[in-house]
Amino acid sequence: MSLSVVILAAGKGTRMRSSLPKVLHPIADKPMVSHVIDAARHLNAENIYVVYGFGGDVLKAVVTGDDLTFVEQKEQLGTGHAVDMASPYLKDDENVLVLYGDVPLTKVSTLESLIEVKPDQGMSLLTVHLSNPTGYGRIVRENQTVVGIVEQKDANEEQLKINECNTGILLANGKDLKRWLGNLSNENAQGEYYLTDIIAACHHEGKEITTAHPETEIEVEGANNRVQLAALERAFQLRNAEALMIAGASLRDPNRIDIRGKMMIGQEVQIDINCIFEGEVVLAHGVTIGANCILKDCSIGENTVIKPNTIIEGAVIGDNCSAGPFARIRPDSVMNENSHIGNFVEMKKTTLGSGSKSGHLTYLGNTTVGNNVNIGAGTITCNYDGVNKSHTTIDDNAFIGSNSSLVAPVFIGSGATVGAGSVIAKDVEVDELAVARGKQRNIAGWKKPTKK
Ligand code: UD1
Ligand code: CA
């Protein structure tokens, strides 16, 4: 049977104290509701209905996809009313799964188990046993069989002792669901249309209610404030860290890593503490990442060492390279195999050929460096005249003396040498030595100034 998913996202989220709709608050840089949508997509949901209340325009701008239908719930009259907003769209002969935009960490495998246990005639519920069930709807059973859910505020003393709780996540077929929602009343302690009342309705029709359970509680926890949001973030990151370790990476401390995107890794990868990985990052076999590195949308080749405090974005680093400590590699840069950049070296739109080195205090922008080039400490490519960016080319085996300025556009031929402290504004041909600096004068008998 095909599947549609209804995601409730109409709550205002007052306790976030934010102008951003609650479900847009991020876990790992991605809105909570997008995590939920991703889960729905993994289940091959045909249609995904997002029930929104506040901030619909912002929501629609941020969360997009052909499979999404946004349904407005103008007034928040309860969870049952919220799901009912999607009723006009739901087909009789499909399964409908209800998820929550502020419950981002539910595993796809858990939802699959919920789908698995659904009876042909009846519905399935995701429930969880909690040591402190306060605030949750309680699962009422008679002879093991689920007969209803009672909300905290409507429960009697006996029912309050039940610690099997409603996660809110449930699955029913479209035809049943629409009928049950149509018959809801709001005569209860909160004056709301409770989604949970459909459980008793199902039971009264003599239909079966089965249950499935998450592996861990965090899977069904929501974020109502920023404290809970931070707790979900940590749980999510620990899950990421565990996945990396299972895939063959050694993490010095799985509690001190942040993955805000996708990572692909080879084996024997080592990652020290406090690293942040964003976008798509590929670490090949044997890569070592030092402490406090930030890597975004980049790939690092085999056995390459990224030393502490290095920042890399939008770059391709080859095999057997090293970068850092304190290096910065900016977008559209390439380091070919066996190349090296060291402390306080910045690269932007620059290719470093294989075996080339730039060890210290250097800026290389809009530059093509050939193979086996040595770039001395303090070299600057002057690529900007205030209006235009210009290119510098340094051919194979060239040697750039320390503290040189290469004023682009400029070309340094293969095997050429630039004397230290030069300002090079004209091309240097193959194997030439260029020296462009003030002449040194040594003054004999010089008297040091004295204090007056
Ligand atoms: C609900 C369940 C409760 C369950 C708990 C789990 C009901 C009646 N109760 O209680 O059994 O244990 O979740 O967390 O369903 N929402 C809308 N529109 C509305 C009302 C709510 O979109 O009109 C959304 C909220 O934004 C939220 C979710 O539905 O994401 C749950 O609503 P909430 O009011 O938090 O329900 P609870 O009282 O916690
Ligand atoms: Ca809640």
Side-chain angles (χ1 to χ4, degrees), residues 8 10-11 73 76-79 82 100 102 136-137 151 166-167 194 196:
L8 301 195
Q73 186 194 22
Q76 276 63 65
L77 302 179
T79 48
Y100 298 80
D102 59 351
Y136 285 84
E151 291 302 299
N166 176 33
T167 65
Y194 291 164
T196 45

Side-chain angles (χ1 to χ4, degrees), residues 8-12 15 22-23 51 73 75-82 100-103 135-138 149-151 165-168 190 192-197 220 224:
L8 301 195
K12 194 170 187 178
R15 282 170 286 170
K22 173 160 85 164
V23 296
V51 181
Q73 186 194 22
E75 274 183 289
Q76 276 63 65
L77 302 179
T79 48
H81 179 257
Y100 298 80
D102 59 351
V103 179
Y136 285 84
R138 308 299 208 283
I149 293 179
V150 58
E151 291 302 299
C165 296
N166 176 33
T167 65
Q190 300 184 81
E192 288 181 6
Y193 295 92
Y194 291 164
L195 175 62
T196 45
D197 283 351
V220 293
N224 292 312

Side-chain angles (χ1 to χ4, degrees), residues 294-369:
I294 303 176
L295 273 64
K296 179 175 184 178
D297 294 318
C298 60
S299 76
I300 313 291
E302 284 186 16
N303 299 316
T304 284
V305 180
I306 307 298
K307 294 179 185 169
N309 300 296
T310 292
I311 299 179
I312 303 176
E313 177 178 359
V316 177
I317 316 292
D319 298 346
N320 301 305
C321 292
S322 67
F326 294 100
R328 177 155 185 231
I329 305 176
R330 292 167 52 198
D332 301 320
S333 291
V334 175
M335 287 177 70
N336 286 312
E337 67 281 357
N338 298 308
S339 64
H340 161 73
I341 65 167
N343 339 238
F344 307 107
V345 172
E346 175 181 354
M347 289 171 59
K348 187 217 73 175
K349 285 195 168 141
T350 286
T351 297
L352 200 57
S354 66
S356 290
K357 294 185 170 77
S358 175
H360 331 262
L361 301 159
T362 287
Y363 173 64
L364 299 171
N366 305 81
T367 300
T368 306
V369 179

Side-chain angles (χ1 to χ4, degrees), residues 76-147:
Q76 276 63 65
L77 302 179
T79 48
H81 179 257
V83 177
D84 198 33
M85 296 298 101
S87 282
Y89 301 93
L90 301 176
K91 287 182 263 175
D92 285 351
D93 59 348
E94 67 179 349
N95 275 331
V96 180
L97 174 66
V98 178
L99 298 176
Y100 298 80
D102 59 351
V103 179
L105 301 191
T106 319
K107 285 187 175 166
V108 171
S109 56
T110 296
L111 298 172
E112 282 167 345
S113 70
L114 184 73
I115 295 169
E116 191 103 320
V117 300
K118 181 179 168 287
D120 284 343
Q121 292 296 313
M123 61 179 296
S124 59
L125 264 184
L126 193 70
T127 77
V128 61
H129 288 85
L130 297 176
S131 48
N132 178 10
T134 311
Y136 285 84
R138 308 299 208 283
I139 309 298
V140 181
R141 291 180 184 262
E142 280 169 11
N143 306 320
Q144 320 298 331
T145 311
V146 177
V147 298

